[in-house]
Amino acid sequence: MLKLIGSRLATAVPSLIGVVIVTFLLTRVLPGDTAAYFAGPAATPQAIAEIRTKLGLDKPLPAQFLDYVTALAKGDLGSSLSTGQPVATEIRNRLPASAELTLAGLILALLIAIPYGIAAAVKQGTWVDHSCRILTTAGVSLPVFFTGLLLVYVFYFKLGWAPAPLGRLDAFASPPPEVTGFYLIDSLIAGDFETFRASAAQLVIPAVTLAIFALAPIARMTRASMLAVLSSEFVRTARAAGLTPYKVIIVYAFRNAMLPVITTLGMVFSFLLGANVLVEKVFAWPGIGSYAVEALITSDFAPVQGFVLAMAVLYIVLNLLIDIAYGVIDPRARSEA
Amino acid sequence: MHGVIDPAIAGALAPAEAPHGPLLSVRDLTVEFSTRKGIVQAVKNVDLTVAKGETVGIVGESGSGKSVTSYTVMRILDRAGRIAEGSIVFSGLDLAYAPERQMRDLRGREMSMIFQNPRAALNPIRKVGHQIGDVLLHHLQAQPSNVKEKVIDILNQVRIARPEERYHAYPFELSGGMCQRIVIALALACRPQLMIADEPTTGLDVTTQKAVMDLVTELTRARGMSTILITHDLGLAATYCDTVMVMEKGRVVETAPAERIFRDPQHPYTRKLMRATPRPGITLRDLLPEGEAPAAPAEGAAVRAAEGAGTPLLKVENLVKEYPRQGAPVAMLAALFGKAPPKEDGIFRAVDGLSFEVKKGESVGLVGESGCGKSTTSTIVMRLIDASSGKITFDGADIGAIPAKEFAHHPIRKRIQMVFQDPTESLNPRYTASRAIADPLLRMAGMSGGAKLRAKVEELAAMVGLPGDLLDRFPHQLSGGQKARVGIARAIALNPDLVILDEPTAALDVSVQAVVLNLLEELKQTLGMSYLFVSHDLHVVKLLCDRVIVMRHGRMVEEGASDQVLEAPKDAYTRELIAAIPHPPV
Amino acid sequence: MTLANPADAPRPASGLAATLRHAHYVISDNPVTGLAFGMFLILVVSALIGPFVVPYDPLASNTAMALSPPSTAHWFGTDQLGRDIFSRVIVATGLDMGIAICSVALVFAAGGIAGIASGFFGGWTDRIIGRISDTIMAFPLFVLAMGIVAALGNTVTNIVIATAIINFPLYVRVARSEAAIRRQAGFVQAARLTGNGEWRILLTQILPNIMPIMMVQMSLTMGYAILNAAGLSFIGLGVRPPTPEWGIMVAEGATYIISGEWWIALFPGLALMFAVFCFNLLGDGLRDIVDPQRRT
């Protein structure tokens, strides 16, 4: 097992290097004056020249790259123009908000999609199956920001069940003392059920929005791989040996069917992290996505670069976890390591 | 009960004791499948009786309904299939309409099944010991406390060495033959009364096949079990069955005791199948149905055959092909970092110092089991890959020195052609038959379409017996035999001197194989070509070849005239190989 | 099953006729695919003819009529500047589809060729192309698109490029695996024996056999490309107001949703869904036509 983790870590290294190079290239090599990007649209020529020297843009490219990597190693992602705050600090402060939202959405999606996909495959050709096919195709066609707005309209404006879509807590409540940064968990630790209820209420609609988006590919893959496994020869052997449908479906089919689903999760994470940006904008969620969007509007490049890098690193880590989970289930992956 | 089987019982393949009334009785069974084209009857009015302790073989070519019959008995047809009429009585119970719950109780405990492709029949991510344990526990043949012990006992019975260790193995860690033993263990775990074996040895080497079949026979006889053996191989059925039932297109054409069905086949289809099965002491003609001799060679044929016959055409000297072993990159990395450079162990020799010769007008067979290096050799001779070392001389030219990449444009290219193993896979799905045959003519004979090309293609089609109206069809619109003919027409289009036949009939039914082998012989006579025939089946090779080379582990173990090698093999491995091939007792 | 029963094998027909018949079969067997073709036609018509027949100028504001709900005069209502939403939604079809088509065409050419070469030649070609697409795949794709547009500059062209880049690995993967399966296939070996060079084999043997599956991929990624472009303009990248574009229109309507003016965001959002849904259905339908085995 340790060997597996080691070998997967080793494969993550090239990705990490690639990501650092790309985020560097995005700012330095592309046409246009990098200093002007960093200085923002309203900067004077002197200001631009000043920034050029400050950022070391007058040095040769390899030296610049070295500077960039050295700064990264120290955790320095530069500073925001508009706020003057270091980007790294800002991202660190906002990350829990994004993570709480994304995780809530993912867990919700998994809880619904996997049983649904299994049911559709086991009851192939019935209404469960047909509804699964229709909903998954419709689900991947939904623009996530549009779903969010629809839910806001229905649950906030029409029914009044949900609070206003303005962040993690309403303006009058105060956040719980920080432990994990997840309001749901922190409020429970503090024993503050009022805050727990309030933050849960704020979280539900955005999390559902994300879940609807992530649900479709997971359910679709679960159904497809369950169908493939159920018609495989080893399931036929298990049936010919008289094992109960429960044993056949759960012990023989399900675990095998989960392998492609776990692989798909990588893609789902990619979608989720992207969708997260849009959902944060719709719900004014104070995460790193809305931080990046605000910076984009003011052409403040350092936060955008920091955000892209942070998301990519997060994504690499998630993929690493997926690979390890895969290895836990599949002995073949373990032995390759 | 459990434990080691008495070798006296195991060794003596004595005929089964007299049957005491049927264990399984299938009457008038018809099975329907709903498909895109509507309802299809896969099995029509089949009767089948299996007595206690009896081994019944169901023989037929693909699409004969033999597998469907057995799946119906187990009631594991897929959704599209259903029993339209008939009864299946097993130990006094009518299974045709038994509730699923009751069937589940019977499956595994009273009747069990082993499948083709053993590796796919096992759950890839569950330890084999647990898979056997699941069955034992389910049928209450073991308690959680003693299940491991019982599984190991069963593993011992199917002759798995080091069973304690193998208990924890995953299927991918075991060889094909070993996986089949696990599947057998799974099927026998609860000591059922009936075992159905569906093509249990297809895809296994002949020596493994023999070991597996001997084991099955021994275990089932020792337990007084009945067996249904489903196979396309008449020889296998003849060797291991008491009664043989022959099926064709969903119907039973003949049922008779094994030795009588071969001595005195009644139905014309049985006779045809019988004749088409390669066996010792026959010639190619004997494979074809009576009175259906191949067309006489065209006039003016055999002209080329006379020219220079007997002089060497292909000479292979000291051929070696090495591949890096799996895990070798690690070794290479180690070498990069200054560790001890890996020598021999990082390298796998697929072909290890092979030398042989093919004379003009001669057919040479290259025979061996999977992994012996025969296909690698033929691919190198074909100049599709390069050898690691060694010399290949073709009609005086050192073709081994020309890199495979450049050989496509070399003039000798058109003199060496090939017929591939899988007729379906060797045809571009988007080319019609005539386009496929025309390809070499367009590329290498300087032809450029038009009536002349069409005439040449039609001539070639006529030579291989492909009706002209099929020429505009795509591969998926042709039968297996027709596709094989297209492949052969393409190979002979350029009048090659040497044609390499890579298991050209392995994917075909025996009756089609008989026709194709005769066609190849006839073309050889007409065109005066030489053949290098790569195959795993000595009997088939013998029919077509003058000389045989037996290979093992990349080396030649024996070489000689076909008759001589088959009748008086000198090498122990050749003897084992010949003994392992089952054949009808004629 | 390599040997077809001769009885059911004969189906003499030319390739085109057979494909059409199969297409007809698929549509009649699965009416949803027929529906998708119908939806596709609606999209094409509104993109090509829409701008000439819409009742109002999509850019003309009329503050007197601002924020009026759907009525007979304004089927989809008007926005905060009194512009007719129906006209804007129809006119936007051309731009949204245009962005998606351009980016898909771009990535089809680049990713398809790179993938086929990678699968067919293997070796260093494969390693370099694989490394490039792995690096792209190491980013959450939408986030990378944001980064690219932000860096390259905020224009429609850059949206097209960014969308193409993030789809690149998907095309490479499909083309690569399809080419790699066929690299050692019997018919490719046979072509080598008849004197075809490697490039010729790539073009005449491999490419035509991969085209159908690539077409399916194109249809499936069209939907994703539309979503991606709309998502970027939703957060203010690429297309600028007042240009009619579905993503921006939804973004503009977002402000008014909490005060109950639902129509501003709803109709462009529905148009977006309609287009994406159409291409997803179409992709599934095409897959059934070219590859009945992979039906799900």
Side-chain angles (χ1 to χ4, degrees), chain A residues 175-210:
Chain A
E178 184 170 334
V179 184
T180 59
F182 289 17
Y183 283 6
L184 286 183
I185 296 173
D186 288 354
S187 59
L188 283 182
I189 292 172
D192 182 354
F193 294 105
E194 183 52 33
T195 312
F196 178 78
R197 197 203 57 75
S199 57
Q202 292 284 351
L203 183 65
V204 168
I205 302 288
V208 167
T209 307
L210 275 181

Short mmCIF file of all heavy atoms in Angstrom, two decimals, chain A residues 175-210:
data_model
loop_
_atom_site.label_atom_id
_atom_site.label_comp_id
_atom_site.label_asym_id
_atom_site.label_seq_id
_atom_site.Cartn_x
_atom_site.Cartn_y
_atom_site.Cartn_z
N PRO A 175 -19.62 34.44 12.51
CA PRO A 175 -19.10 33.09 12.26
C PRO A 175 -18.62 32.42 13.53
O PRO A 175 -18.23 33.12 14.49
CB PRO A 175 -17.94 33.34 11.29
CG PRO A 175 -17.61 34.78 11.42
CD PRO A 175 -18.85 35.48 11.85
N PRO A 176 -18.65 31.10 13.57
CA PRO A 176 -18.18 30.38 14.76
C PRO A 176 -16.67 30.50 14.88
O PRO A 176 -16.00 30.81 13.89
CB PRO A 176 -18.59 28.93 14.47
CG PRO A 176 -18.67 28.84 12.99
CD PRO A 176 -19.08 30.20 12.51
N PRO A 177 -16.14 30.31 16.08
CA PRO A 177 -14.66 30.35 16.23
C PRO A 177 -14.02 29.34 15.30
O PRO A 177 -14.47 28.20 15.19
CB PRO A 177 -14.45 29.96 17.70
CG PRO A 177 -15.76 29.47 18.20
CD PRO A 177 -16.83 29.96 17.30
N GLU A 178 -12.94 29.77 14.62
CA GLU A 178 -12.40 28.93 13.56
C GLU A 178 -11.58 27.75 14.09
O GLU A 178 -10.68 27.92 14.89
CB GLU A 178 -11.52 29.76 12.62
CG GLU A 178 -11.03 28.92 11.47
CD GLU A 178 -10.37 29.75 10.37
OE1 GLU A 178 -10.70 30.94 10.25
OE2 GLU A 178 -9.54 29.19 9.66
N VAL A 179 -11.96 26.57 13.66
CA VAL A 179 -11.15 25.38 13.92
C VAL A 179 -10.77 24.76 12.58
O VAL A 179 -9.60 24.73 12.19
CB VAL A 179 -11.92 24.34 14.78
CG1 VAL A 179 -11.00 23.17 15.10
CG2 VAL A 179 -12.44 24.98 16.04
N THR A 180 -11.81 24.31 11.85
CA THR A 180 -11.54 23.73 10.54
C THR A 180 -11.79 24.74 9.42
O THR A 180 -11.35 24.54 8.30
CB THR A 180 -12.48 22.54 10.28
OG1 THR A 180 -13.83 23.02 10.37
CG2 THR A 180 -12.28 21.44 11.28
N GLY A 181 -12.53 25.81 9.74
CA GLY A 181 -12.91 26.75 8.70
C GLY A 181 -14.23 26.38 8.07
O GLY A 181 -14.82 27.17 7.35
N PHE A 182 -14.70 25.15 8.33
CA PHE A 182 -16.02 24.75 7.84
C PHE A 182 -17.05 25.19 8.89
O PHE A 182 -17.01 24.72 10.02
CB PHE A 182 -16.10 23.22 7.69
CG PHE A 182 -15.30 22.67 6.53
CD1 PHE A 182 -14.31 23.43 5.93
CD2 PHE A 182 -15.55 21.41 6.05
CE1 PHE A 182 -13.58 22.93 4.87
CE2 PHE A 182 -14.82 20.90 5.00
CZ PHE A 182 -13.83 21.65 4.40
N TYR A 183 -17.94 26.09 8.50
CA TYR A 183 -18.88 26.63 9.49
C TYR A 183 -19.73 25.53 10.13
O TYR A 183 -20.01 25.56 11.32
CB TYR A 183 -19.80 27.68 8.84
CG TYR A 183 -19.13 29.01 8.62
CD1 TYR A 183 -17.77 29.19 8.86
CD2 TYR A 183 -19.86 30.11 8.17
CE1 TYR A 183 -17.16 30.40 8.65
CE2 TYR A 183 -19.25 31.34 7.96
CZ TYR A 183 -17.90 31.49 8.20
OH TYR A 183 -17.31 32.69 7.99
N LEU A 184 -20.14 24.57 9.31
CA LEU A 184 -21.00 23.51 9.84
C LEU A 184 -20.30 22.77 10.97
O LEU A 184 -20.88 22.52 12.03
CB LEU A 184 -21.38 22.52 8.75
CG LEU A 184 -22.41 22.97 7.71
CD1 LEU A 184 -22.72 21.84 6.75
CD2 LEU A 184 -23.68 23.45 8.39
N ILE A 185 -19.03 22.44 10.74
CA ILE A 185 -18.29 21.66 11.74
C ILE A 185 -17.91 22.55 12.92
O ILE A 185 -18.09 22.17 14.08
CB ILE A 185 -17.05 21.03 11.09
CG1 ILE A 185 -17.52 20.03 10.02
CG2 ILE A 185 -16.17 20.34 12.13
CD1 ILE A 185 -16.41 19.45 9.19
N ASP A 186 -17.41 23.75 12.62
CA ASP A 186 -16.97 24.65 13.69
C ASP A 186 -18.12 25.01 14.63
O ASP A 186 -17.93 25.07 15.85
CB ASP A 186 -16.37 25.93 13.09
CG ASP A 186 -15.02 25.66 12.45
OD1 ASP A 186 -14.54 24.52 12.59
OD2 ASP A 186 -14.47 26.57 11.81
N SER A 187 -19.30 25.24 14.06
CA SER A 187 -20.42 25.62 14.93
C SER A 187 -20.82 24.46 15.82
O SER A 187 -21.21 24.64 16.97
CB SER A 187 -21.62 26.10 14.10
OG SER A 187 -22.03 25.06 13.24
N LEU A 188 -20.70 23.24 15.31
CA LEU A 188 -21.01 22.07 16.14
C LEU A 188 -19.98 21.94 17.25
O LEU A 188 -20.32 21.62 18.40
CB LEU A 188 -21.03 20.80 15.29
CG LEU A 188 -22.30 20.61 14.45
CD1 LEU A 188 -22.22 19.30 13.69
CD2 LEU A 188 -23.54 20.63 15.34
N ILE A 189 -18.71 22.15 16.89
CA ILE A 189 -17.66 22.06 17.90
C ILE A 189 -17.92 23.08 19.01
O ILE A 189 -17.79 22.79 20.20
CB ILE A 189 -16.26 22.30 17.28
CG1 ILE A 189 -15.93 21.13 16.36
CG2 ILE A 189 -15.19 22.47 18.36
CD1 ILE A 189 -14.68 21.33 15.53
N ALA A 190 -18.34 24.29 18.57
CA ALA A 190 -18.62 25.34 19.56
C ALA A 190 -19.95 25.12 20.27
O ALA A 190 -20.29 25.84 21.20
CB ALA A 190 -18.62 26.70 18.86
N GLY A 191 -20.73 24.12 19.80
CA GLY A 191 -22.03 23.86 20.40
C GLY A 191 -23.06 24.92 20.09
O GLY A 191 -24.04 25.08 20.78
N ASP A 192 -22.79 25.68 19.01
CA ASP A 192 -23.67 26.79 18.67
C ASP A 192 -24.66 26.33 17.58
O ASP A 192 -24.39 26.44 16.40
CB ASP A 192 -22.79 27.95 18.16
CG ASP A 192 -23.62 29.16 17.83
OD1 ASP A 192 -24.86 29.07 17.87
OD2 ASP A 192 -23.01 30.21 17.52
N PHE A 193 -25.78 25.80 18.02
CA PHE A 193 -26.71 25.21 17.05
C PHE A 193 -27.42 26.26 16.22
O PHE A 193 -27.84 25.98 15.10
CB PHE A 193 -27.70 24.29 17.78
CG PHE A 193 -27.03 23.10 18.38
CD1 PHE A 193 -26.81 23.02 19.75
CD2 PHE A 193 -26.56 22.06 17.57
CE1 PHE A 193 -26.15 21.94 20.29
CE2 PHE A 193 -25.91 20.98 18.10
CZ PHE A 193 -25.71 20.92 19.49
N GLU A 194 -27.54 27.44 16.77
CA GLU A 194 -28.19 28.51 16.01
C GLU A 194 -27.35 28.84 14.76
O GLU A 194 -27.87 28.93 13.66
CB GLU A 194 -28.35 29.74 16.92
CG GLU A 194 -29.09 30.90 16.27
CD GLU A 194 -30.41 30.47 15.65
OE1 GLU A 194 -31.08 29.55 16.19
OE2 GLU A 194 -30.76 31.02 14.59
N THR A 195 -26.04 29.00 14.97
CA THR A 195 -25.16 29.27 13.84
C THR A 195 -25.13 28.08 12.88
O THR A 195 -25.09 28.25 11.66
CB THR A 195 -23.73 29.56 14.34
OG1 THR A 195 -23.82 30.51 15.39
CG2 THR A 195 -22.86 30.09 13.23
N PHE A 196 -25.15 26.87 13.44
CA PHE A 196 -25.17 25.68 12.60
C PHE A 196 -26.38 25.72 11.67
O PHE A 196 -26.27 25.54 10.46
CB PHE A 196 -25.22 24.42 13.46
CG PHE A 196 -25.30 23.15 12.65
CD1 PHE A 196 -24.16 22.63 12.05
CD2 PHE A 196 -26.51 22.50 12.48
CE1 PHE A 196 -24.23 21.47 11.30
CE2 PHE A 196 -26.58 21.34 11.72
CZ PHE A 196 -25.44 20.83 11.13
N ARG A 197 -27.54 26.01 12.25
CA ARG A 197 -28.78 26.04 11.47
C ARG A 197 -28.68 27.14 10.40
O ARG A 197 -29.00 26.92 9.24
CB ARG A 197 -29.97 26.29 12.39
CG ARG A 197 -31.31 25.94 11.79
CD ARG A 197 -32.43 26.71 12.47
NE ARG A 197 -32.21 28.15 12.42
CZ ARG A 197 -32.39 28.89 11.33
NH1 ARG A 197 -32.79 28.33 10.21
NH2 ARG A 197 -32.16 30.19 11.37
N ALA A 198 -28.19 28.29 10.82
CA ALA A 198 -28.11 29.42 9.89
C ALA A 198 -27.16 29.12 8.73
O ALA A 198 -27.48 29.38 7.57
CB ALA A 198 -27.66 30.66 10.64
N SER A 199 -26.01 28.54 9.05
CA SER A 199 -25.06 28.29 7.95
C SER A 199 -25.54 27.14 7.07
O SER A 199 -25.33 27.16 5.86
CB SER A 199 -23.65 28.05 8.49
OG SER A 199 -23.65 26.97 9.39
N ALA A 200 -26.21 26.16 7.69
CA ALA A 200 -26.76 25.06 6.89
C ALA A 200 -27.80 25.62 5.92
O ALA A 200 -27.84 25.25 4.75
CB ALA A 200 -27.38 24.00 7.78
N ALA A 201 -28.63 26.53 6.41
CA ALA A 201 -29.66 27.11 5.55
C ALA A 201 -29.04 27.83 4.37
O ALA A 201 -29.54 27.75 3.24
CB ALA A 201 -30.52 28.07 6.37
N GLN A 202 -27.94 28.54 4.62
CA GLN A 202 -27.26 29.24 3.53
C GLN A 202 -26.64 28.26 2.54
O GLN A 202 -26.54 28.53 1.35
CB GLN A 202 -26.14 30.15 4.09
CG GLN A 202 -26.63 31.31 4.90
CD GLN A 202 -27.21 32.43 4.03
OE1 GLN A 202 -27.10 32.40 2.82
NE2 GLN A 202 -27.86 33.39 4.65
N LEU A 203 -26.19 27.13 3.07
CA LEU A 203 -25.42 26.18 2.25
C LEU A 203 -26.31 25.34 1.35
O LEU A 203 -25.89 24.93 0.26
CB LEU A 203 -24.60 25.28 3.19
CG LEU A 203 -23.66 24.27 2.54
CD1 LEU A 203 -22.56 24.98 1.77
CD2 LEU A 203 -23.04 23.35 3.60
N VAL A 204 -27.54 25.07 1.81
CA VAL A 204 -28.35 24.06 1.11
C VAL A 204 -28.50 24.35 -0.38
O VAL A 204 -28.16 23.51 -1.22
CB VAL A 204 -29.74 23.92 1.78
CG1 VAL A 204 -30.66 23.11 0.90
CG2 VAL A 204 -29.58 23.22 3.11
N ILE A 205 -28.99 25.53 -0.73
CA ILE A 205 -29.30 25.77 -2.15
C ILE A 205 -28.05 25.74 -3.04
O ILE A 205 -28.04 25.04 -4.05
CB ILE A 205 -30.09 27.10 -2.32
CG1 ILE A 205 -31.37 27.04 -1.52
CG2 ILE A 205 -30.39 27.36 -3.79
CD1 ILE A 205 -32.43 26.13 -2.06
N PRO A 206 -26.97 26.43 -2.65
CA PRO A 206 -25.78 26.31 -3.50
C PRO A 206 -25.25 24.88 -3.60
O PRO A 206 -24.83 24.44 -4.68
CB PRO A 206 -24.74 27.22 -2.84
CG PRO A 206 -25.35 27.76 -1.62
CD PRO A 206 -26.79 27.45 -1.62
N ALA A 207 -25.30 24.14 -2.49
CA ALA A 207 -24.80 22.76 -2.53
C ALA A 207 -25.68 21.91 -3.44
O ALA A 207 -25.17 21.09 -4.22
CB ALA A 207 -24.77 22.16 -1.12
N VAL A 208 -26.99 22.12 -3.37
CA VAL A 208 -27.89 21.37 -4.26
C VAL A 208 -27.60 21.72 -5.72
O VAL A 208 -27.57 20.85 -6.59
CB VAL A 208 -29.37 21.66 -3.90
CG1 VAL A 208 -30.31 21.16 -4.98
CG2 VAL A 208 -29.72 21.01 -2.58
N THR A 209 -27.35 22.99 -5.96
CA THR A 209 -27.01 23.41 -7.33
C THR A 209 -25.81 22.63 -7.85
O THR A 209 -25.84 22.09 -8.96
CB THR A 209 -26.68 24.92 -7.35
OG1 THR A 209 -27.75 25.62 -6.74
CG2 THR A 209 -26.47 25.41 -8.76
N LEU A 210 -24.78 22.57 -7.05
CA LEU A 210 -23.58 21.83 -7.46
C LEU A 210 -23.88 20.34 -7.59
O LEU A 210 -23.39 19.67 -8.52
CB LEU A 210 -22.46 22.01 -6.44
CG LEU A 210 -21.59 23.25 -6.60
CD1 LEU A 210 -20.51 23.24 -5.51
CD2 LEU A 210 -20.93 23.27 -7.96
#
